[in-house]
Amino acid sequence: MQISRLFEIVYILLDKRTTTAKELAEHFEVSTRTIFRDIDALSSAGIPVYSRQGKGGGLSLLDNFVLNKSLLSEHEQNEILIALQSLTATEYPDIKIVLSKLSSMFNKDKSNWIEVDFSPWGSNISEKEKFNTLKSAIINSWIITFEYYNSSGVKSSRIVEPAKLTFKDKSWYLQGFCLTIKKYRTFKINRIIGIQVTGDNFIQKFTDELSIDIKEEPSMLIDIQLKISSEGAYRVYDEFDERDVVGCEDGSFMIATSIPKGDWLYHYILSFGTAIEVIEPESLRNIILVKLETMINNIKPKS
């Protein structure tokens, strides 16, 4: 039984007042027996659908029936519409149709007051296709293969039973059972390339190992202390945990945190330009100095 079809039947009855089982069957391309099962389901849910025989008869709702007054409070209506608006970000099939019809039934013309888009600014078509491929693989229980770069930039080939997509801290993650290493793993989606659907199905398994706590594959953490001037203030609370940040009287910030080691870290620190100072460890300072010397040599005029 399709929930969206039940909502649409109610929508049609509210809009047309009277219709027949035959008309509904033709509209949905199902049998009249299926329509009558749907009507029974609606009646069991407390929606007063009744049938009249003879000329001008058919299926109708009781006069003055309003869905929002019969089943859902004002708060519940808003919660449903907000949830559906959020779900449109995943481009879930037919969700916009259901949202439009529910908005009409709830008599809420301003259901588009919120828009959710998880894609980064400037996302290209290939990135959106990647998301849709993963979504379809999860829904249809398809095994997938791809190349993956971990936080240290090391590439590996993976065969994965995808379980769910998770959005956390400005990033999308794929969680699933990695057949390559026989363990549950979390993969950052923007590090996944070359996704292929194998065509092989698997049986979805539910496990506590797929928790909301995002833990990527192990990488070495180092303790660092940074000082960021007021020029870089706009990035501080976007990119660091507030518990690791201490504001200074001159408008700068002291940051003490643990962070994965790797080339990405050096480039990240350099992205702050003159607004950042590495306090500790000294080894990190030395690596940054070497990187800066290389950059200077790369941009020196050719003699």
Side-chain angles (χ1 to χ4, degrees):
M1 183 180 300
Q2 295 184 10
I3 299 299
S4 60
R5 188 173 67 233
L6 296 181
F7 278 122
E8 188 165 355
I9 289 174
V10 177
Y11 175 79
I12 290 171
L13 292 173
L14 284 169
D15 184 52
K16 298 180 66 175
R17 306 310 301 175
T18 300
T19 188
T20 66
K22 182 180 179 182
E23 289 172 338
L24 290 174
E26 291 174 352
H27 176 79
F28 293 108
E29 298 182 347
V30 297
S31 67
T32 53
R33 179 178 296 179
T34 296
I35 294 298
F36 282 121
R37 281 201 298 266
D38 290 342
I39 298 301
D40 287 340
L42 290 172
S43 297
S44 298
I47 298 177
V49 182
Y50 70 98
S51 176
R52 289 185 299 179
Q53 303 296 322
K55 187 177 180 180
L59 300 170
S60 303
L61 289 169
L62 288 178
D63 291 342
N64 301 320
F65 169 78
V66 180
L67 180 62
N68 62 338
K69 298 298 183 183
S70 299
L71 297 178
L72 302 168
S73 69
E74 185 80 12
H75 175 73
E76 289 169 334
Q77 295 168 48
N78 291 332
E79 290 294 310
I80 289 172
L81 294 178
I82 290 170
L84 291 176
Q85 283 283 20
S86 300
L87 197 55
T88 59
T90 69
E91 297 183 11
Y92 195 84
D94 300 326
I95 199 65
K96 290 183 179 179
I97 296 174
V98 175
L99 176 61
S100 175
K101 290 173 179 175
L102 276 178
S103 299
S104 177
M105 284 191 286
F106 293 159
N107 194 28
K108 293 183 180 293
D109 297 330
K110 295 182 179 180
S111 62
N112 62 341
W113 67 273
I114 183 173
E115 182 173 347
V116 181
D117 186 355
F118 293 120
S119 60
W121 293 107
S123 291
N124 56 34
I125 294 175
S126 63
E127 285 299 308
K128 293 181 179 178
E129 287 177 348
K130 180 193 293 185
F131 183 90
N132 287 330
T133 299
L134 291 172
K135 177 187 67 176
S136 297
I138 293 171
I139 292 173
N140 295 289
S141 298
W142 291 330
I143 295 174
I144 58 174
T145 64
F146 53 81
E147 303 292 321
Y148 186 69
Y149 288 89
N150 67 13
S151 58
S152 298
V154 178
K155 185 174 78 168
S156 60
S157 299
R158 300 304 181 106
I159 305 173
V160 174
E161 296 176 349
K164 68 177 179 179
L165 298 174
T166 302
F167 185 82
K168 186 173 183 180
D169 191 27
K170 302 184 288 293
S171 296
W172 277 105
Y173 296 85
L174 168 70
Q175 295 180 281
F177 187 77
C178 181
L179 296 170
T180 307
I181 61 174
K182 307 298 182 185
K183 292 181 179 179
Y184 284 96
R185 279 291 180 259
T186 296
F187 305 94
K188 201 167 189 176
I189 289 180
N190 61 10
R191 297 189 195 145
I192 293 174
I193 62 172
I195 301 173
Q196 297 290 329
V197 176
T198 66
D200 296 327
N201 288 98
F202 66 95
I203 298 175
Q204 287 280 8
K205 299 177 285 291
F206 298 95
T207 172
D208 291 338
E209 293 186 56
L210 291 176
S211 69
I212 194 64
D213 185 23
I214 300 299
K215 294 180 180 178
E216 296 191 70
E217 295 194 43
S219 57
M220 184 181 296
L221 297 177
I222 60 171
D223 295 328
I224 63 172
Q225 289 187 31
L226 307 171
K227 182 176 182 179
I228 298 178
S229 70
S230 57
E231 295 176 6
Y234 69 98
R235 291 179 61 177
V236 170
Y237 288 105
D238 281 345
E239 301 178 23
F240 297 97
D241 191 312
E242 63 179 348
R243 293 171 295 184
D244 299 332
V245 179
V246 176
C248 303
E249 291 184 0
D250 63 355
S252 64
F253 300 87
M254 296 296 297
I255 297 162
T257 187
S258 297
I259 203 162
K261 188 176 181 180
D263 284 343
W264 79 273
L265 174 58
Y266 316 136
H267 297 303
Y268 174 73
I269 290 174
L270 289 170
S271 72
F272 280 86
T274 59
I276 197 168
E277 177 185 353
V278 178
I279 307 299
E280 291 183 1
E282 186 176 353
S283 59
L284 180 57
R285 290 172 58 90
N286 294 334
I287 291 173
I288 296 297
L289 284 172
V290 172
K291 297 286 184 185
L292 284 171
E293 290 174 0
T294 302
M295 289 174 64
I296 291 171
N297 289 329
N298 287 341
I299 63 176
K300 277 183 178 178
K302 301 294 183 181
S303 56

XYZ file of all heavy atoms in Angstrom, residues 29 49 71 122 166:
35
model
N -3.871 3.747 -12.094
C -3.510 2.562 -12.872
C -3.414 1.327 -11.983
O -2.433 0.570 -12.014
C -2.197 2.785 -13.640
C -2.293 3.917 -14.661
C -1.003 4.109 -15.452
O 0.033 3.544 -15.036
O -1.027 4.824 -16.473
N -14.717 8.466 4.768
C -15.062 8.273 3.356
C -16.318 7.407 3.299
O -16.408 6.390 3.973
C -13.918 7.575 2.593
C -14.272 7.422 1.119
C -12.612 8.339 2.759
N -7.363 15.066 12.306
C -6.297 14.147 12.693
C -5.079 14.793 13.325
O -4.448 14.209 14.189
C -5.824 13.356 11.450
C -6.847 12.456 10.780
C -6.242 11.806 9.558
C -7.338 11.387 11.743
N 28.512 26.116 -5.457
C 29.263 25.782 -6.659
C 29.333 24.296 -6.953
O 30.140 23.859 -7.771
N 24.804 10.068 6.113
C 24.718 10.882 7.319
C 25.319 12.254 7.049
O 26.396 12.347 6.457
C 25.482 10.215 8.483
O 24.937 8.913 8.719
C 25.361 11.049 9.753
